[in-house]
Structure formats: C-alpha cells, structure tokens
C-alpha cells in the first residue's frame, strides 16, 4: 500500500506575494515583469526572494554541513503521525498568538 492510500495528505503551500511574511532581516519578495506579449501569450518575470520566504523546508544541510540535502530526503522521511491543535479562537483575539506560544 502506498503513502497516498495510507494517509490523508494536506497541501500547506502558501502562494508567494509581495506582502508574504518573512523572517526578520530578510528582504521581501520582489518581482518585475520584463517581457509581456499578448500576441504570444507569454509573460516573463524576474524573481528575487530571500532564502526561507514562503512555503519551504529547511534541510539538515541548512544547519549541518554533513546533513542531507533536499535531493537526499525521501518522501517517506517526511511523513509522520501528527495531531491538530486548534488555536483559531486564540488567534482571533491575538494574531501573534502562535509566534508567542512557540517561544514558551
């Protein structure tokens, strides 16, 4: 039985945009359209984004020069049992609740 048959997989991807939250000190996402052709239906943009902006995964190599890179990590290593802790009521009154709670 494969992973998809054993588990419910939830996509937690966030769309990149110029107002996406970033780590303090990291530049926000910048993009510029440098070619747009209605005739061919083609748009080309340059993208400048700091490391760690948007949905991403820090690999062991990020913290340890001998750690695994993204291409060395298998999907099976990314699947683990989990539970959901619903803090929506707390966040409703305090948008920083999750950030504060994670430092306790």
């Amino acid at each position: 039985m494969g992973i998809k048959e054993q588990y419910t997989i939830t996509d937690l991807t966030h769309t990149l945009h110029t107002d996406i939250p970033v780590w303090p000190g990291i530049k926000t996402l910048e993009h510029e359209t440098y070619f747009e052709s209605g005739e061919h239906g083609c748009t080309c943009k340059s993208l400048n984004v700091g490391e760690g902006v948007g949905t991403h995964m820090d690999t062991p190599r990020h913290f340890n020069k001998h750690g695994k890179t993204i291409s060395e990590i298998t999907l099976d290593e990314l699947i683990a049992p989990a539970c959901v802790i619903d803090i929506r009521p707390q966040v409703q009154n305090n948008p920083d609740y999750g950030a504060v709670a994670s430092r306790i």
Side-chain angles (χ1 to χ4, degrees), residues 60-95:
R61 178 69 59 92
H62 183 78
F63 302 99
N64 176 339
K65 68 180 181 178
H66 302 292
K68 287 185 176 183
T69 63
I70 194 71
S71 62
E72 296 170 329
I73 298 172
T74 67
L75 183 58
D76 287 338
E77 292 175 278
L78 301 175
I79 305 295
C83 69
V84 175
I85 301 172
D86 188 354
I87 62 168
R88 286 178 291 186
Q90 293 91 331
V91 172
Q92 186 74 29
N93 296 323
N94 178 3

